[in-house]
Amino acid sequence: MAKVVLDKTAMQRALTRITYEIIEQNRGLNDLVIVGIKTRGIVLAQRIGERIAQLEGRAIPVIALDASDYRDDRPADHHTIPELPVAITGKNVVLVDDVLYTGRTIRAALDALMAVGRPQKIALAVLIDRGHRELPIRPDFVGKNIPTARTEKIKVQVAEIDQIDQVVLA
Amino acid sequence: MKRFLILEDGTVFPGQAIGAAVNTTGELVLYTGATGYQEAITNKSYTGQIIGFTYPQQGAVGINRDDYETIEPTIKGVVLGESYQLTSHWRAQMTLDQFLRSKRIPGLQNVDTRRLYRHLAIHGNMKASLMDTHDAHAHDQIKALVVANNQVSQVSTKQAYPSPNIGRNVVVLDLGLKNTVLRELSKRQCNVTVLPFDTASETIETIAPDGILISDGPGDPQALTKTITMLKEIQGHYPIFAIGLGFSIMALVNDVSVETRQFARHSINLVVKEKITQNISFTAQNGNYGLTTIPADSNLLTTHLAVNHQEVLGFRHRFLPVFAVNFDPEAAAGPTDAQHLFDDFLDLMNADIERKQRVF
């Protein structure tokens, strides 16, 4: 049985709080770049970017990252270096994804970013942290911690792709 | 029996006496909400004030046991269009008139409250009295009245008291606390300690709460110098959520000056926009002080704006876990649109605890 663990309002509130925390931790916001990990991470990154723009009255660069080439279940010998529209060297990057699980996706994203440039700092924002890490990776901004069993599935749905905003535990 | 509402500028509104047969003086404010008279009358934010209800009829559902915001009301009087002599509601225990008599609060009805509204809309809030006569002496008396600015010390609890539960440890700084604020914290299982407004920072450090809520209350925030000094020491050490008068206090703590609010900000249907999401909420407000803008170089970030006029109704500290709203999220009376702010307060405390646990 699928169970809604975060409804639309709760999702909005979680993203709002993450946005405030990002502002709290990044004085000035001048060097801030928000990087969304495909697919739903990009949508969440855009929403955080819009929120900062509403509050501060100016746009923060939001870019999409496809790190699938860097995954550890793919051959390690031919990585295509991602092309990013904004330079990330020296920047404060906030990496955004929907669910943090084993940490392997984030590891791949970090490698992809490092292949492109040398950020001053990389922080991690996730909507859901479901535990079961297999790598020493931890989030800086968490929407909600949801303890899960490995057999369970967490699905983040966003209106832009799934026509509904909710998080479902199945 | 005849009675008179005498305004500071000499204007007299005659009417019929209800409630207790006593003469009274205070600041006249107008409450424009259609409902919520029991909550407003028992709201300590109106301490020392005479509340004029602009909605023509009040008291239809009497007074019940559930809607008290404090046990002993601290208002000076009420001015009404018409009050119901009979109530028809299953919760009603007594009529509004009976309640006013029992609490020694005088009232006046059969007043043209629309004329009163227009008068105050032009001339602003003013001192007023409810008197049996309107001779020269009564006029002199109201002119000479000095409105006290120690309302908070009158209504804040004299001693700390607990409101035990099993969740987060919360300190509530009582500047004129409403019951519903405690109810909302209780609903979220917060283990609350209510402290007097002049509590020393050492006391709070000893309690070591997970968060602090600064309540709404009556009077001028600038008079609360001791509270402001204490909060300057405390700010940044604990997550803070401030409401109403607490909002003004936290602005002053962060060196943003407050001003007297425009007329007609006492109601239950005032529209607020949350900047970050552009969401609209209908809220209850009753404060006499607030902010029209926050200077750009301030550490405070505007989070909520009034929709129908220029006013800042919510802010957040840019770098510290502090947020404040100049409306009543507890919504008693009023719409419950903004009750999620109590959840936000819990989230803020939880995030703070998590952050402190993973310092490296």
Side-chain angles (χ1 to χ4, degrees), chain B residues 108-132:
Chain B
L108 182 69
Q109 66 168 352
N110 296 340
V111 171
D112 182 352
T113 53
R114 286 193 290 184
R115 192 185 136 218
L116 183 60
Y117 182 97
R118 282 198 303 273
H119 190 80
L120 264 65
I122 295 164
H123 303 287
N125 286 347
M126 55 180 86
K127 294 180 289 182
S129 57
L130 290 174
M131 296 277 174
D132 294 336

PDB file of all heavy atoms in Angstrom, chain B residues 108-132:
ATOM      1  N   LEU B 108     -21.258  50.038  26.211  1.00  0.00           N
ATOM      2  CA  LEU B 108     -22.184  51.020  25.672  1.00  0.00           C
ATOM      3  C   LEU B 108     -22.734  50.461  24.380  1.00  0.00           C
ATOM      4  O   LEU B 108     -21.962  49.993  23.527  1.00  0.00           O
ATOM      5  CB  LEU B 108     -21.416  52.318  25.401  1.00  0.00           C
ATOM      6  CG  LEU B 108     -22.199  53.517  24.865  1.00  0.00           C
ATOM      7  CD1 LEU B 108     -23.141  54.045  25.928  1.00  0.00           C
ATOM      8  CD2 LEU B 108     -21.231  54.603  24.424  1.00  0.00           C
ATOM      9  N   GLN B 109     -24.064  50.489  24.236  1.00  0.00           N
ATOM     10  CA  GLN B 109     -24.629  50.030  22.969  1.00  0.00           C
ATOM     11  C   GLN B 109     -25.539  51.090  22.363  1.00  0.00           C
ATOM     12  O   GLN B 109     -25.709  52.159  22.926  1.00  0.00           O
ATOM     13  CB  GLN B 109     -25.367  48.702  23.147  1.00  0.00           C
ATOM     14  CG  GLN B 109     -26.608  48.793  24.011  1.00  0.00           C
ATOM     15  CD  GLN B 109     -27.440  47.535  23.903  1.00  0.00           C
ATOM     16  OE1 GLN B 109     -27.175  46.663  23.087  1.00  0.00           O
ATOM     17  NE2 GLN B 109     -28.451  47.424  24.745  1.00  0.00           N
ATOM     18  N   ASN B 110     -26.107  50.756  21.205  1.00  0.00           N
ATOM     19  CA  ASN B 110     -26.873  51.715  20.403  1.00  0.00           C
ATOM     20  C   ASN B 110     -26.025  52.903  19.965  1.00  0.00           C
ATOM     21  O   ASN B 110     -26.473  54.044  19.959  1.00  0.00           O
ATOM     22  CB  ASN B 110     -28.127  52.209  21.144  1.00  0.00           C
ATOM     23  CG  ASN B 110     -29.097  51.069  21.393  1.00  0.00           C
ATOM     24  OD1 ASN B 110     -29.022  50.032  20.709  1.00  0.00           O
ATOM     25  ND2 ASN B 110     -29.977  51.230  22.350  1.00  0.00           N
ATOM     26  N   VAL B 111     -24.779  52.609  19.656  1.00  0.00           N
ATOM     27  CA  VAL B 111     -23.872  53.628  19.137  1.00  0.00           C
ATOM     28  C   VAL B 111     -23.788  53.438  17.628  1.00  0.00           C
ATOM     29  O   VAL B 111     -23.766  52.302  17.151  1.00  0.00           O
ATOM     30  CB  VAL B 111     -22.472  53.491  19.776  1.00  0.00           C
ATOM     31  CG1 VAL B 111     -21.466  54.402  19.089  1.00  0.00           C
ATOM     32  CG2 VAL B 111     -22.540  53.782  21.254  1.00  0.00           C
ATOM     33  N   ASP B 112     -23.748  54.542  16.882  1.00  0.00           N
ATOM     34  CA  ASP B 112     -23.549  54.446  15.437  1.00  0.00           C
ATOM     35  C   ASP B 112     -22.068  54.135  15.195  1.00  0.00           C
ATOM     36  O   ASP B 112     -21.234  55.021  15.104  1.00  0.00           O
ATOM     37  CB  ASP B 112     -23.951  55.767  14.769  1.00  0.00           C
ATOM     38  CG  ASP B 112     -23.801  55.705  13.259  1.00  0.00           C
ATOM     39  OD1 ASP B 112     -23.257  54.703  12.751  1.00  0.00           O
ATOM     40  OD2 ASP B 112     -24.229  56.671  12.596  1.00  0.00           O
ATOM     41  N   THR B 113     -21.768  52.841  15.115  1.00  0.00           N
ATOM     42  CA  THR B 113     -20.352  52.452  15.047  1.00  0.00           C
ATOM     43  C   THR B 113     -19.734  52.805  13.700  1.00  0.00           C
ATOM     44  O   THR B 113     -18.521  52.903  13.592  1.00  0.00           O
ATOM     45  CB  THR B 113     -20.191  50.941  15.322  1.00  0.00           C
ATOM     46  OG1 THR B 113     -21.058  50.217  14.456  1.00  0.00           O
ATOM     47  CG2 THR B 113     -20.497  50.624  16.762  1.00  0.00           C
ATOM     48  N   ARG B 114     -20.592  52.992  12.675  1.00  0.00           N
ATOM     49  CA  ARG B 114     -20.019  53.396  11.389  1.00  0.00           C
ATOM     50  C   ARG B 114     -19.531  54.850  11.448  1.00  0.00           C
ATOM     51  O   ARG B 114     -18.506  55.197  10.908  1.00  0.00           O
ATOM     52  CB  ARG B 114     -21.040  53.206  10.262  1.00  0.00           C
ATOM     53  CG  ARG B 114     -21.226  51.733   9.914  1.00  0.00           C
ATOM     54  CD  ARG B 114     -21.960  51.556   8.637  1.00  0.00           C
ATOM     55  NE  ARG B 114     -23.356  51.958   8.795  1.00  0.00           N
ATOM     56  CZ  ARG B 114     -24.260  51.842   7.843  1.00  0.00           C
ATOM     57  NH1 ARG B 114     -23.914  51.356   6.673  1.00  0.00           N
ATOM     58  NH2 ARG B 114     -25.503  52.208   8.039  1.00  0.00           N
ATOM     59  N   ARG B 115     -20.319  55.675  12.149  1.00  0.00           N
ATOM     60  CA  ARG B 115     -19.887  57.064  12.323  1.00  0.00           C
ATOM     61  C   ARG B 115     -18.590  57.096  13.160  1.00  0.00           C
ATOM     62  O   ARG B 115     -17.648  57.835  12.861  1.00  0.00           O
ATOM     63  CB  ARG B 115     -20.994  57.866  13.026  1.00  0.00           C
ATOM     64  CG  ARG B 115     -20.731  59.356  12.976  1.00  0.00           C
ATOM     65  CD  ARG B 115     -21.763  60.134  13.776  1.00  0.00           C
ATOM     66  NE  ARG B 115     -21.078  61.142  14.563  1.00  0.00           N
ATOM     67  CZ  ARG B 115     -21.415  61.497  15.796  1.00  0.00           C
ATOM     68  NH1 ARG B 115     -22.425  60.915  16.397  1.00  0.00           N
ATOM     69  NH2 ARG B 115     -20.755  62.428  16.418  1.00  0.00           N
ATOM     70  N   LEU B 116     -18.561  56.260  14.189  1.00  0.00           N
ATOM     71  CA  LEU B 116     -17.373  56.176  15.046  1.00  0.00           C
ATOM     72  C   LEU B 116     -16.155  55.762  14.221  1.00  0.00           C
ATOM     73  O   LEU B 116     -15.066  56.319  14.347  1.00  0.00           O
ATOM     74  CB  LEU B 116     -17.635  55.162  16.172  1.00  0.00           C
ATOM     75  CG  LEU B 116     -16.543  54.981  17.218  1.00  0.00           C
ATOM     76  CD1 LEU B 116     -16.267  56.275  17.946  1.00  0.00           C
ATOM     77  CD2 LEU B 116     -16.951  53.892  18.220  1.00  0.00           C
ATOM     78  N   TYR B 117     -16.363  54.777  13.329  1.00  0.00           N
ATOM     79  CA  TYR B 117     -15.279  54.305  12.469  1.00  0.00           C
ATOM     80  C   TYR B 117     -14.752  55.445  11.594  1.00  0.00           C
ATOM     81  O   TYR B 117     -13.552  55.673  11.511  1.00  0.00           O
ATOM     82  CB  TYR B 117     -15.761  53.140  11.592  1.00  0.00           C
ATOM     83  CG  TYR B 117     -14.673  52.561  10.707  1.00  0.00           C
ATOM     84  CD1 TYR B 117     -13.967  51.427  11.106  1.00  0.00           C
ATOM     85  CD2 TYR B 117     -14.347  53.151   9.492  1.00  0.00           C
ATOM     86  CE1 TYR B 117     -12.970  50.904  10.315  1.00  0.00           C
ATOM     87  CE2 TYR B 117     -13.340  52.631   8.694  1.00  0.00           C
ATOM     88  CZ  TYR B 117     -12.660  51.502   9.111  1.00  0.00           C
ATOM     89  OH  TYR B 117     -11.661  50.991   8.327  1.00  0.00           O
ATOM     90  N   ARG B 118     -15.700  56.151  10.947  1.00  0.00           N
ATOM     91  CA  ARG B 118     -15.276  57.237  10.058  1.00  0.00           C
ATOM     92  C   ARG B 118     -14.518  58.311  10.837  1.00  0.00           C
ATOM     93  O   ARG B 118     -13.535  58.853  10.366  1.00  0.00           O
ATOM     94  CB  ARG B 118     -16.490  57.860   9.349  1.00  0.00           C
ATOM     95  CG  ARG B 118     -16.993  57.023   8.172  1.00  0.00           C
ATOM     96  CD  ARG B 118     -17.862  57.841   7.243  1.00  0.00           C
ATOM     97  NE  ARG B 118     -19.000  58.420   7.942  1.00  0.00           N
ATOM     98  CZ  ARG B 118     -20.162  57.785   8.121  1.00  0.00           C
ATOM     99  NH1 ARG B 118     -20.337  56.569   7.645  1.00  0.00           N
ATOM    100  NH2 ARG B 118     -21.153  58.367   8.770  1.00  0.00           N
ATOM    101  N   HIS B 119     -14.990  58.588  12.049  1.00  0.00           N
ATOM    102  CA  HIS B 119     -14.347  59.609  12.876  1.00  0.00           C
ATOM    103  C   HIS B 119     -12.899  59.211  13.188  1.00  0.00           C
ATOM    104  O   HIS B 119     -11.969  59.994  13.028  1.00  0.00           O
ATOM    105  CB  HIS B 119     -15.141  59.797  14.165  1.00  0.00           C
ATOM    106  CG  HIS B 119     -14.698  60.989  14.961  1.00  0.00           C
ATOM    107  ND1 HIS B 119     -15.102  62.264  14.656  1.00  0.00           N
ATOM    108  CD2 HIS B 119     -13.853  61.089  16.015  1.00  0.00           C
ATOM    109  CE1 HIS B 119     -14.542  63.108  15.500  1.00  0.00           C
ATOM    110  NE2 HIS B 119     -13.776  62.421  16.338  1.00  0.00           N
ATOM    111  N   LEU B 120     -12.708  57.953  13.609  1.00  0.00           N
ATOM    112  CA  LEU B 120     -11.356  57.504  13.946  1.00  0.00           C
ATOM    113  C   LEU B 120     -10.490  57.304  12.707  1.00  0.00           C
ATOM    114  O   LEU B 120      -9.269  57.451  12.765  1.00  0.00           O
ATOM    115  CB  LEU B 120     -11.403  56.219  14.781  1.00  0.00           C
ATOM    116  CG  LEU B 120     -11.317  56.460  16.294  1.00  0.00           C
ATOM    117  CD1 LEU B 120     -12.525  57.214  16.801  1.00  0.00           C
ATOM    118  CD2 LEU B 120     -11.142  55.157  17.044  1.00  0.00           C
ATOM    119  N   ALA B 121     -11.139  56.957  11.587  1.00  0.00           N
ATOM    120  CA  ALA B 121     -10.372  56.787  10.341  1.00  0.00           C
ATOM    121  C   ALA B 121      -9.717  58.114   9.960  1.00  0.00           C
ATOM    122  O   ALA B 121      -8.618  58.141   9.414  1.00  0.00           O
ATOM    123  CB  ALA B 121     -11.272  56.300   9.226  1.00  0.00           C
ATOM    124  N   ILE B 122     -10.395  59.222  10.256  1.00  0.00           N
ATOM    125  CA  ILE B 122      -9.842  60.536   9.933  1.00  0.00           C
ATOM    126  C   ILE B 122      -8.879  61.003  11.022  1.00  0.00           C
ATOM    127  O   ILE B 122      -7.780  61.467  10.736  1.00  0.00           O
ATOM    128  CB  ILE B 122     -10.994  61.574   9.766  1.00  0.00           C
ATOM    129  CG1 ILE B 122     -11.850  61.186   8.560  1.00  0.00           C
ATOM    130  CG2 ILE B 122     -10.439  62.989   9.600  1.00  0.00           C
ATOM    131  CD1 ILE B 122     -13.203  61.884   8.518  1.00  0.00           C
ATOM    132  N   HIS B 123      -9.257  60.827  12.282  1.00  0.00           N
ATOM    133  CA  HIS B 123      -8.486  61.430  13.369  1.00  0.00           C
ATOM    134  C   HIS B 123      -7.546  60.455  14.081  1.00  0.00           C
ATOM    135  O   HIS B 123      -6.771  60.867  14.935  1.00  0.00           O
ATOM    136  CB  HIS B 123      -9.441  62.065  14.386  1.00  0.00           C
ATOM    137  CG  HIS B 123     -10.357  63.088  13.775  1.00  0.00           C
ATOM    138  ND1 HIS B 123      -9.906  64.326  13.389  1.00  0.00           N
ATOM    139  CD2 HIS B 123     -11.669  63.039  13.442  1.00  0.00           C
ATOM    140  CE1 HIS B 123     -10.924  65.009  12.865  1.00  0.00           C
ATOM    141  NE2 HIS B 123     -11.997  64.245  12.873  1.00  0.00           N
ATOM    142  N   GLY B 124      -7.628  59.155  13.766  1.00  0.00           N
ATOM    143  CA  GLY B 124      -6.729  58.183  14.381  1.00  0.00           C
ATOM    144  C   GLY B 124      -7.248  57.685  15.723  1.00  0.00           C
ATOM    145  O   GLY B 124      -8.242  58.193  16.248  1.00  0.00           O
ATOM    146  N   ASN B 125      -6.562  56.658  16.269  1.00  0.00           N
ATOM    147  CA  ASN B 125      -6.940  56.143  17.585  1.00  0.00           C
ATOM    148  C   ASN B 125      -6.796  57.250  18.616  1.00  0.00           C
ATOM    149  O   ASN B 125      -5.904  58.083  18.508  1.00  0.00           O
ATOM    150  CB  ASN B 125      -6.026  54.977  17.977  1.00  0.00           C
ATOM    151  CG  ASN B 125      -6.358  53.717  17.202  1.00  0.00           C
ATOM    152  OD1 ASN B 125      -7.391  53.613  16.543  1.00  0.00           O
ATOM    153  ND2 ASN B 125      -5.468  52.752  17.282  1.00  0.00           N
ATOM    154  N   MET B 126      -7.675  57.270  19.586  1.00  0.00           N
ATOM    155  CA  MET B 126      -7.545  58.281  20.622  1.00  0.00           C
ATOM    156  C   MET B 126      -8.026  57.779  21.965  1.00  0.00           C
ATOM    157  O   MET B 126      -8.642  56.721  22.069  1.00  0.00           O
ATOM    158  CB  MET B 126      -8.260  59.571  20.226  1.00  0.00           C
ATOM    159  CG  MET B 126      -9.717  59.419  19.859  1.00  0.00           C
ATOM    160  SD  MET B 126     -10.399  61.021  19.421  1.00  0.00           S
ATOM    161  CE  MET B 126      -9.977  61.150  17.689  1.00  0.00           C
ATOM    162  N   LYS B 127      -7.708  58.561  22.988  1.00  0.00           N
ATOM    163  CA  LYS B 127      -8.167  58.241  24.329  1.00  0.00           C
ATOM    164  C   LYS B 127      -9.679  58.488  24.387  1.00  0.00           C
ATOM    165  O   LYS B 127     -10.207  59.327  23.664  1.00  0.00           O
ATOM    166  CB  LYS B 127      -7.460  59.126  25.357  1.00  0.00           C
ATOM    167  CG  LYS B 127      -5.973  58.865  25.457  1.00  0.00           C
ATOM    168  CD  LYS B 127      -5.316  59.766  26.484  1.00  0.00           C
ATOM    169  CE  LYS B 127      -5.236  61.206  26.026  1.00  0.00           C
ATOM    170  NZ  LYS B 127      -4.551  62.097  26.982  1.00  0.00           N
ATOM    171  N   ALA B 128     -10.330  57.751  25.264  1.00  0.00           N
ATOM    172  CA  ALA B 128     -11.774  57.896  25.373  1.00  0.00           C
ATOM    173  C   ALA B 128     -12.219  57.482  26.759  1.00  0.00           C
ATOM    174  O   ALA B 128     -11.458  56.837  27.500  1.00  0.00           O
ATOM    175  CB  ALA B 128     -12.474  57.029  24.323  1.00  0.00           C
ATOM    176  N   SER B 129     -13.434  57.860  27.111  1.00  0.00           N
ATOM    177  CA  SER B 129     -13.976  57.384  28.390  1.00  0.00           C
ATOM    178  C   SER B 129     -15.431  56.992  28.221  1.00  0.00           C
ATOM    179  O   SER B 129     -16.117  57.457  27.304  1.00  0.00           O
ATOM    180  CB  SER B 129     -13.822  58.450  29.484  1.00  0.00           C
ATOM    181  OG  SER B 129     -14.451  59.646  29.073  1.00  0.00           O
ATOM    182  N   LEU B 130     -15.882  56.116  29.076  1.00  0.00           N
ATOM    183  CA  LEU B 130     -17.306  55.766  29.161  1.00  0.00           C
ATOM    184  C   LEU B 130     -17.812  56.356  30.463  1.00  0.00           C
ATOM    185  O   LEU B 130     -17.340  55.999  31.543  1.00  0.00           O
ATOM    186  CB  LEU B 130     -17.483  54.239  29.152  1.00  0.00           C
ATOM    187  CG  LEU B 130     -17.177  53.524  27.834  1.00  0.00           C
ATOM    188  CD1 LEU B 130     -17.251  52.010  28.027  1.00  0.00           C
ATOM    189  CD2 LEU B 130     -18.144  53.951  26.750  1.00  0.00           C
ATOM    190  N   MET B 131     -18.748  57.305  30.359  1.00  0.00           N
ATOM    191  CA  MET B 131     -19.176  58.060  31.543  1.00  0.00           C
ATOM    192  C   MET B 131     -20.698  58.142  31.596  1.00  0.00           C
ATOM    193  O   MET B 131     -21.370  58.096  30.559  1.00  0.00           O
ATOM    194  CB  MET B 131     -18.634  59.503  31.479  1.00  0.00           C
ATOM    195  CG  MET B 131     -17.126  59.620  31.519  1.00  0.00           C
ATOM    196  SD  MET B 131     -16.534  59.557  33.219  1.00  0.00           S
ATOM    197  CE  MET B 131     -14.766  59.544  32.942  1.00  0.00           C
ATOM    198  N   ASP B 132     -21.231  58.338  32.804  1.00  0.00           N
ATOM    199  CA  ASP B 132     -22.675  58.523  32.968  1.00  0.00           C
ATOM    200  C   ASP B 132     -23.088  59.951  32.619  1.00  0.00           C
ATOM    201  O   ASP B 132     -24.251  60.211  32.337  1.00  0.00           O
ATOM    202  CB  ASP B 132     -23.088  58.209  34.407  1.00  0.00           C
ATOM    203  CG  ASP B 132     -22.887  56.736  34.712  1.00  0.00           C
ATOM    204  OD1 ASP B 132     -22.880  55.946  33.743  1.00  0.00           O
ATOM    205  OD2 ASP B 132     -22.720  56.387  35.887  1.00  0.00           O
TER     206      ASP B 132
END
